[in-house]
Amino acid sequence: MAALTIEQALQAAIAQHQAGHLAAAEAIYRQILAVQPNHADALHLLGAAALMSGRHEEARDLIERAVALSPDNPAYESNFGEACRRLGRLDEAVDHLRRAVALQPDFADALNNLGSTLALLERWDEAIACLQRCAALRPDHVGTLNNLGLAFMRQDRTQEAAVTYRQLATLMPNSAEAHNNLAEALLKGRCWDEAILCCQRALVLAPDYVEAHGNLGMACLGAGQRDEAVASLERALMLRSDSASLLTGLSAALLERGEYERARQLCERALAVDPGFPLGHWTRSLALLSLGRFEEGWREYEWRWQCPPLSTFRRRFPVPQWDGPAAPGQTILAHAEQGYGDALQFLRYVLLLRQRPGVDRVILECGRPLVRLFASSIGDGVEVFPRETWDGSDLPPFDRHIPWMSLPLALGLFEPQTMAEPYLRADPELRHAWRERLGAGQPFRVGLVWEGNRDHQWYRYRSIAAEKFLPLLRLPGVAFYGWQTEPGNDTPRALVEAGLIDVTANITDFAETAALMAELDLVISVDTAAAHLAGALGRPVWTLLPFVADWRWGSEGEATPWYPGMRLFRQPAEGDWDAALDRVARSCRTAAVSKLNREPA
């Protein structure tokens, strides 16, 4: 066959190849190779056809021969790398795809394939860099954007994932999957309202799209639409009844409605489907704790470290976690976890740990705002350090470690532990400074905290609009002092104009707050760290709780075993803060009059 004839045959084969007629194209490539066995283009294109037909081993062998004949051809290297990828030979694939990109830096297909291969190897930063280069070359390529969005999600770069998936949804407005992918990114970024809209768009396009129903349920839950969340998750389970993830999601929604027993039962179903599903175990622990089944609950609570977001914050130390027994002379690192309120509440278990036989010394590690308070309150055998490094390398040597909320299980103290005496105390010098600062005058002094951490998942339920406290501020003979130390939680002007004395500027840490509380007659707080601090100090504290409260407060009653001096004021119905605050106002008036009557004339 003359060279021209071979060239004509090659062009005819390429035309068949591009038209999708692979068998016809392969027949012509084989005719060419029968005449010229070392025709590199024919070898490469026959290999590419084999790759498209799923004959990956044959494709690799053919393209490898082409690469040997023409080692500087970027297309050959790229397809050889893709054949290796499909065979699972990922490191080899990366080498050849990198070679292709080195030969042709603007080779978009090679960049996309390299990025997706690096993603399979979980080399996410490298994958993202390749896919971003590819997206810059062809910003409307659906496959590249999808791969890039996935890589961003796996790295928890949710804002960038949302931008990428939003671009993809714009390019593919009729793709339910594109809208659902965007919803998932928005869910991770806590953009509840937009996530709801994306799920709804996906469901218009695909009414039985299970994942979209599930994501809609979780988005509604995040947005505080509990009934809608339950309805969406129930619909998803009608379509896929054996999904451990959906069963657990519905359980979480029912927990937020206070349906603890049904939530527990759903977790049991989820774990029957997937016994090792971490989120199913953790959600079950919250249901059990809410039901007062503490021993089972604490055992399940250990699964928290395998569930986002806490899995991100799991500490790794070169020594084992303490599990109860202690050899004589052991030093144990007890490290705080989660919020400041949790640390203040579970400090009691650190003190009980110190009393255990064999525990010679406890290193207490906590957030810096707690250090001064703890150091001035805790006796011998416990040393307090701020958390400065993630691996504890700055701390004195220790034999075992334990996170504070694992202590009830390790100590075998499953029921809430009531301390006979307050376990925190205010510094006398700081108290004196606050006494001078507050001065003489009003006979009844009340601290007021209406808002907590805005990043807390239950912020919308736990915090109260400041204006709802205005009637309380009108009580005669009562001086109200307010402080808000969380970023962005400023004291509203309306409260100050109504007489609230804002002392936020003088609060530098929990030691200062404790000293202030020691000079007050009463603290009124929503469910946040201030309530725990007042309780641990033994100060009179009234805690305002939503209709469905956190597991630690139970579901009824005004008393709590955690803090003998605390009184609980619960919403009588979902969202009804007015009724709860009316009870607080009447009780506060009575307490103020009672103190006035006790004062000497």
Side-chain angles (χ1 to χ4, degrees):
M1 183 181 293
L4 181 59
T5 306
I6 288 175
E7 181 61 28
Q8 290 174 334
L10 184 65
Q11 294 304 316
I14 291 172
Q16 294 286 345
H17 197 150
Q18 291 174 338
H21 304 147
L22 297 182
E26 286 190 36
I28 301 172
Y29 293 142
R30 293 186 191 281
Q31 290 175 12
I32 295 171
L33 290 169
V35 177
Q36 287 193 9
N38 290 330
H39 193 292
D41 281 342
L43 285 166
H44 168 244
L45 291 168
L46 180 58
L51 192 63
M52 293 176 68
S53 300
R55 306 194 313 273
H56 302 145
E57 194 70 55
E58 179 186 350
R60 182 188 178 283
D61 293 342
L62 288 164
I63 301 173
E64 186 176 33
R65 289 170 58 191
V67 169
L69 291 166
S70 182
D72 292 331
N73 188 306
Y76 295 3
E77 290 283 1
S78 179
N79 278 332
F80 185 58
E82 179 61 10
C84 291
R85 184 183 75 84
R86 295 191 188 185
L87 287 166
R89 300 164 68 164
L90 301 183
D91 290 328
E92 187 178 2
V94 167
D95 290 340
H96 286 278
L97 289 164
R98 286 199 190 282
R99 169 78 172 152
V101 172
L103 291 166
Q104 185 179 332
D106 62 350
F107 193 171
D109 281 340
L111 283 165
N112 182 62
N113 291 341
L114 176 57
S116 62
T117 306
L118 289 165
L120 290 172
L121 290 165
E122 297 187 356
R123 291 159 61 176
W124 297 110
D125 290 339
E126 297 172 82
I128 288 170
C130 288
L131 293 167
Q132 285 178 317
R133 285 176 60 188
C134 185
L137 292 167
R138 50 182 192 189
D140 295 343
H141 191 270
V142 168
T144 299
L145 292 173
N146 196 59
N147 289 336
L148 181 57
L150 174 62
F152 280 139
M153 288 287 283
R154 291 299 298 270
Q155 285 293 83
D156 288 325
R157 294 166 62 172
T158 54
Q159 288 187 339
E160 292 159 291
V163 169
T164 304
Y165 282 138
R166 194 174 286 113
Q167 185 177 352
L168 190 61
T170 301
L171 290 169
M172 305 176 68
N174 295 321
S175 168
E177 183 179 0
H179 292 294
N180 185 63
N181 286 343
L182 175 55
E184 289 189 358
L186 294 166
L187 269 174
K188 276 200 166 186
R190 300 167 66 90
C191 301
W192 314 120
D193 293 340
E194 190 180 355
I196 289 171
L197 291 175
C198 290
C199 291
Q200 290 171 338
R201 291 190 192 109
L203 291 168
V204 167
L205 295 164
D208 290 339
Y209 192 176
V210 176
E211 288 76 12
H213 281 291
N215 285 332
L216 177 58
M218 300 314 293
C220 287
L221 190 61
Q225 301 173 23
R226 290 167 165 167
D227 293 343
E228 292 85 349
V230 169
S232 294
L233 288 160
E234 287 178 334
R235 172 61 179 157
L237 281 165
M238 288 175 63
L239 297 165
R240 188 179 297 163
S241 61
D242 62 347
S243 167
S245 176
L246 291 172
L247 287 162
T248 302
L250 179 55
S251 175
L254 292 170
L255 278 177
E256 293 206 9
R257 290 207 315 196
E259 298 181 41
Y260 304 129
E261 178 56 27
R262 188 180 168 204
R264 182 196 65 79
Q265 292 171 3
L266 282 165
C267 285
E268 303 287 358
R269 285 177 56 191
L271 295 171
V273 173
D274 184 355
F277 185 46
L279 191 57
H281 284 282
W282 189 26
T283 306
R284 181 173 182 264
S285 80
L286 299 176
L288 290 166
L289 291 170
S290 299
L291 289 165
R293 295 168 59 173
F294 292 105
E295 182 172 355
E296 298 168 87
W298 288 125
R299 294 189 189 284
E300 289 287 81
Y301 199 70
E302 289 300 293
W303 285 84
R304 69 194 182 279
W305 298 119
Q306 298 184 44
C307 303
L310 291 184
S311 55
T312 308
F313 302 104
R314 185 172 190 177
R315 308 283 294 280
R316 305 287 183 180
F317 296 102
V319 300
Q321 181 168 321
W322 186 69
D323 59 2
Q330 279 198 335
T331 296
I332 297 177
L333 167 65
H335 44 100
E337 58 170 295
Q338 302 183 50
Y340 290 127
D342 299 298
L344 289 159
Q345 181 182 9
F346 281 79
L347 174 64
R348 69 191 68 207
Y349 291 98
V350 179
L351 304 180
L352 294 169
L353 168 66
R354 175 64 186 88
Q355 299 172 15
R356 278 298 168 104
V359 177
D360 181 62
R361 178 182 177 219
V362 173
I363 296 171
L364 184 158
E365 187 203 55
C366 59
R368 184 170 288 280
L370 291 165
V371 168
R372 187 162 61 138
L373 172 64
F374 287 176
S376 65
S377 299
I378 297 172
D380 295 338
V382 180
E383 298 179 59
V384 182
F385 292 86
R387 182 172 59 241
E388 302 286 7
T389 61
W390 201 240
D391 61 359
S393 57
D394 60 317
L395 299 172
F398 50 92
D399 303 297
R400 296 287 188 273
H401 79 93
I402 188 164
W404 290 12
M405 295 183 76
S406 292
L407 281 167
L409 177 63
L411 291 167
L413 300 173
F414 305 116
E415 300 293 323
Q417 297 298 300
T418 302
M419 304 299 278
E421 300 289 338
Y423 54 91
L424 289 176
R425 65 181 182 86
D427 180 87
E429 292 186 8
L430 295 178
R431 282 193 65 174
H432 177 75
W434 275 103
R435 194 176 304 124
E436 293 293 317
R437 192 174 291 129
L438 299 180
Q442 297 289 352
F444 199 69
R445 292 172 171 159
V446 178
L448 202 58
V449 179
W450 58 89
E451 189 174 14
N453 180 0
R454 295 192 175 196
D455 290 330
H456 194 282
Q457 66 177 25
W458 277 24
Y459 168 82
R460 69 171 67 249
Y461 304 114
R462 301 195 316 175
S463 296
I464 304 175
E467 291 73 17
K468 287 190 175 292
F469 286 90
L470 289 174
L472 184 66
L473 295 178
R474 300 190 186 104
L475 288 177
V478 182
F480 288 95
Y481 299 86
W483 63 95
Q484 290 292 321
T485 57
E486 291 288 344
N489 293 9
D490 298 326
T491 301
R493 180 184 296 275
L495 295 191
V496 176
E497 291 176 348
L500 180 79
I501 302 166
D502 185 5
V503 294
T504 302
N506 300 107
I507 302 291
T508 57
D509 62 4
F510 282 95
E512 286 287 355
T513 311
L516 166 61
M517 287 180 173
E519 294 302 313
L520 299 175
D521 296 293
L522 172 67
V523 175
I524 300 173
S525 175
V526 296
D527 180 10
T528 190
H532 290 283
L533 175 57
L537 290 165
R539 302 301 299 156
V541 52
W542 297 351
T543 303
L544 287 151
L545 298 177
F547 182 65
V548 180
D550 188 73
W551 64 265
R552 70 197 76 204
W553 306 123
S555 57
E556 59 186 9
E558 291 191 351
T560 171
W562 296 107
Y563 304 109
M566 180 179 287
R567 184 178 174 189
L568 305 177
F569 287 78
R570 303 175 186 271
Q571 286 182 342
E574 182 70 41
D576 188 1
W577 284 122
D578 291 334
L581 286 169
D582 182 64
R583 289 179 54 231
V584 166
R586 286 186 277 111
S587 297
C588 189
R589 183 184 298 109
T590 300
V593 170
S594 177
K595 184 185 179 187
L596 181 63
N597 290 337
R598 293 196 306 270
E599 293 289 331

